[in-house]
Amino acid sequence: MKTVKAKILVDQPITEAVLDEAIERGKTRLRGSLQATGVSFHQQSLTVSFEDGTGVLLPVSHYPEFDNFEDEDYASLKVGISGTALCHEEKDLLVSIAGMISASKSLMSMAASVVSSRNGRQSSAAKAEAARANGKKGGRPRKVEITQ
């Protein structure tokens, strides 16, 4: 088993440079993920809005966390934890938005389809070189059926 030694020393003094670096790391991390900006409730569904203008509609009947909620409780639901969770203070509820989306079979199927499509379009340097080499030879060789 590999042992990993902690790199962050808790007794290091906090300077302006250290704080600036931490803030920059946080901004970089925030830019790399989709953050929810709002949540609303109508017709027994939660609409979670994201910073890029997109949103997702999640029926509350699929999530047992909301079984004891009344209509007025949904009005107090807020986006928290840097846009990654839905929070309700009075009910002491904290629900991951990614977890809610991953619990939806249809949304996960769509996500898998999108990821597969994107990955299929990617070309590595080796793949591009092989395609050029095959092109110089007249293209991909035809498959020959061997009959016995």
Side-chain angles (χ1 to χ4, degrees), residues 8-64:
I8 298 173
L9 303 174
V10 293
D11 59 348
Q12 280 185 328
I14 298 176
T15 63
E16 286 294 322
V18 171
L19 285 174
D20 290 342
E21 183 182 328
I23 290 169
E24 194 56 41
R25 276 196 320 264
K27 286 179 182 177
T28 302
R29 189 176 300 138
L30 189 61
R31 274 186 245 119
S33 62
L34 192 59
Q35 305 297 312
T37 56
V39 60
S40 61
F41 176 75
H42 57 281
Q43 298 180 355
Q44 299 302 309
S45 294
L46 292 171
T47 302
V48 180
S49 306
F50 297 99
E51 62 187 353
D52 67 347
T54 61
V56 64
L57 190 68
L58 303 167
V60 293
S61 60
H62 291 109
Y63 306 100

Side-chain angles (χ1 to χ4, degrees), residues 74-122:
Y74 291 107
S76 300
L77 207 54
K78 304 279 185 240
V79 173
I81 310 182
S82 298
T84 62
L86 299 181
C87 308
H88 194 287
E89 267 189 52
E90 291 84 32
K91 296 209 178 257
D92 195 27
L93 179 73
L94 197 68
V95 183
S96 163
I97 295 170
M100 292 177 70
I101 291 172
S102 69
S104 169
K105 188 176 180 178
S106 59
L107 287 176
M108 288 306 292
S109 295
M110 182 182 63
S113 174
V114 169
V115 168
S116 297
S117 174
R118 283 186 114 183
N119 287 343
R121 285 183 264 151
Q122 291 180 351

